[in-house]
Amino acid sequence: MRTLFCRFELLLSEEEDPDGAIDRIADICWEWVTTASQVNESNLSDKWEAGEHKLNNTGTLHIDDDRCENGRFWRMKRIEWGREDTELQIVNHIFVVRDDRRVEFSLLQDFVHQYERISPSDRAVYPPWVIRAVMDTYDCKMGDEEISQSWSSISPPNVPELVDKITNPSRRIPIVLMSKRWDTKRSIVKRPGSLSGRLAGLAHVYQLSDLNTQQFGDLFGQQWLGNGTIRIFWPGKSTRELIDSDPAWNDMYSKRSFEEKYDSDEGPLCQEIINRVCAATMTLPASSPLVNDIRSRIEDEQRRQEEEALQEQRDIVLGDLKTSEDKVAYLEDENKKLSGIISIRDIELGQRGREIIEMAEMEETLRFQISRLGDEISSY
């Protein structure tokens, strides 16, 4: 079951070499792996290498680094088993892809249970710190939105600009907006940077600086904000019409719920917000057009190299054969081999086509179940 997915583009300086940037990200990913407490460092080298690696008795790591003209696809797959729940497998996939000077980073995390089941997860999601490390190294964007692991304070003069961001139909990333309590003059979340860091690449975090939030309430109707209230504004669901008419209680965390439901502990509250944002990433497609294009170009390049090597081998063999009859017999044998390969690939393509249809049907079923669960939660 996918627990989180994020994808963003790196903004490189004109002087920076794109392959050097990928190498730098690869080093960050390698550090993320080797510094983990459960990893046996003696199994690993100081520098990352493509291939299979053993992390400990049960954990494994696989790295691929493929290239084509003006393109590169670096990927890491890290598999670990839960320390407390030994039936839970945690799988992290990292893709770093380059097309000319454009570089894209993505991370997908899966929880794989030993026994298949379809049910909402009750497990806390902890976004890997490697996301924050990459965003700390490079300026990043998702679509046209610049993203950051930092939070921002919004003063009254800047509220209209924030409202425009919230209601922008092209926005892709959730906005977590916090207000200050009247009694303490602070947000319920006393360390906004901790929350924004854990939501790096997944959400924007803002805090209204003024205790008086009437200006925001006047602009937002039903979805008011004040006295410590925190709200999540989702992309595509934060139009002015919905904001005016829909209170969206499920997306609101009030001072009262903070005290009663979370026992005035910001840790569980922040974890609930993180879980909800991560769960919302389940609808994002894992492969981007950029990834698909580079994969296709790399496969074409590999096939071309294989065909050239086979042709070179054929030319050598044909040069050694003395008679035309021997050459014809050799070429007929090569033709039979190629026909067999084509038949096998046709079967594989048919199987993949059926798998794609089955996966699409499964995805549609899961989205329907998620929608129903959301409706049930809304009725409480």
Side-chain angles (χ1 to χ4, degrees), residues 240-251:
R240 288 191 180 274
E241 292 76 14
L242 285 174
I243 287 170
D244 285 340
S245 61
D246 182 6
W249 303 123
N250 293 324
D251 301 326

Side-chain angles (χ1 to χ4, degrees), residues 66-328:
D66 297 317
R67 307 183 189 217
C68 63
E69 186 177 358
N70 290 324
R72 183 175 175 185
F73 187 26
W74 188 94
R75 55 197 182 275
M76 169 186 283
K77 182 179 181 181
R78 178 180 179 178
I79 301 177
E80 303 166 277
W81 289 90
R83 281 173 284 183
E84 297 179 0
D85 185 350
T86 56
E87 294 182 355
L88 177 67
Q89 190 181 67
I90 303 168
V91 185
N92 284 285
H93 304 264
I94 294 177
F95 292 169
V96 189
V97 62
R98 175 179 80 83
D99 182 9
D100 197 13
R101 292 194 56 78
R102 185 181 174 192
V103 179
E104 184 182 270
F105 172 93
S106 59
L107 183 146
L108 185 149
Q109 185 182 84
D110 277 328
F111 283 176
V112 182
H113 296 273
Q114 186 173 354
Y115 302 102
E116 292 185 356
R117 61 187 184 190
I118 299 177
S119 63
S121 176
D122 57 354
R123 296 185 179 279
V125 180
Y126 301 99
W129 64 258
V130 67
I131 302 172
R132 301 193 293 277
V134 171
M135 295 185 69
D136 194 41
T137 306
Y138 292 97
D139 292 332
C140 305
K141 69 174 184 176
M142 183 176 181
D144 294 330
E145 292 179 67
E146 291 193 15
I147 56 178
S148 169
Q149 62 167 314
S150 303
W151 64 282
S152 300
S153 179
I154 304 298
S155 60
N158 294 323
V159 166
E161 182 182 348
L162 174 63
V163 172
D164 288 340
K165 288 182 180 179
I166 291 173
T167 58
N168 186 343
S170 64
R171 177 166 61 92
R172 298 188 182 188
I173 301 175
I175 287 176
V176 178
L177 182 58
M178 302 180 290
S179 62
K180 293 182 178 179
R181 293 174 55 156
W182 297 333
D183 53 357
T184 64
K185 298 180 176 57
R186 298 181 65 183
S187 167
I188 287 173
V189 178
K190 296 183 177 64
R191 296 176 299 157
S194 175
L195 178 61
S196 65
R198 293 164 69 189
L199 286 174
L202 299 166
H204 300 294
V205 177
Y206 297 108
Q207 177 179 274
L208 298 175
S209 65
D210 203 297
L211 289 175
N212 184 355
T213 57
Q214 182 177 347
Q215 178 191 16
F216 192 86
D218 291 342
L219 292 168
F220 264 41
Q222 288 283 338
Q223 296 191 23
W224 67 277
L225 204 73
N227 194 24
T229 301
I230 300 173
R231 278 193 179 274
I232 302 175
F233 294 97
W234 302 104
K237 291 189 175 182
S238 299
T239 64
R240 288 191 180 274
E241 292 76 14
L242 285 174
I243 287 170
D244 285 340
S245 61
D246 182 6
W249 303 123
N250 293 324
D251 301 326
M252 184 184 80
Y253 302 87
S254 66
K255 172 177 172 288
R256 180 177 177 180
S257 66
F258 172 63
E259 293 171 346
E260 295 180 356
K261 183 178 179 180
Y262 302 100
D263 199 25
S264 298
D265 187 346
E266 70 176 78
L269 170 64
C270 289
Q271 189 61 61
E272 170 66 19
I273 293 172
I274 291 166
N275 290 347
R276 288 202 64 200
V277 171
C278 290
T281 66
M282 292 175 66
T283 60
L284 295 174
S287 289
S288 70
L290 181 62
V291 170
N292 292 334
D293 178 59
I294 293 299
R295 269 181 160 170
S296 177
R297 284 162 52 186
I298 288 172
E299 289 171 1
D300 289 344
E301 177 69 15
Q302 290 173 342
R303 278 195 296 268
R304 184 186 63 79
Q305 292 175 357
E306 290 172 2
E307 289 168 1
E308 288 179 352
L310 286 172
Q311 186 59 49
E312 184 178 351
Q313 184 180 6
R314 289 191 197 104
D315 292 341
I316 293 172
V317 173
L318 289 170
D320 292 339
L321 295 175
K322 303 300 183 183
T323 68
S324 298
E325 289 79 3
D326 289 339
K327 293 179 180 180
V328 169

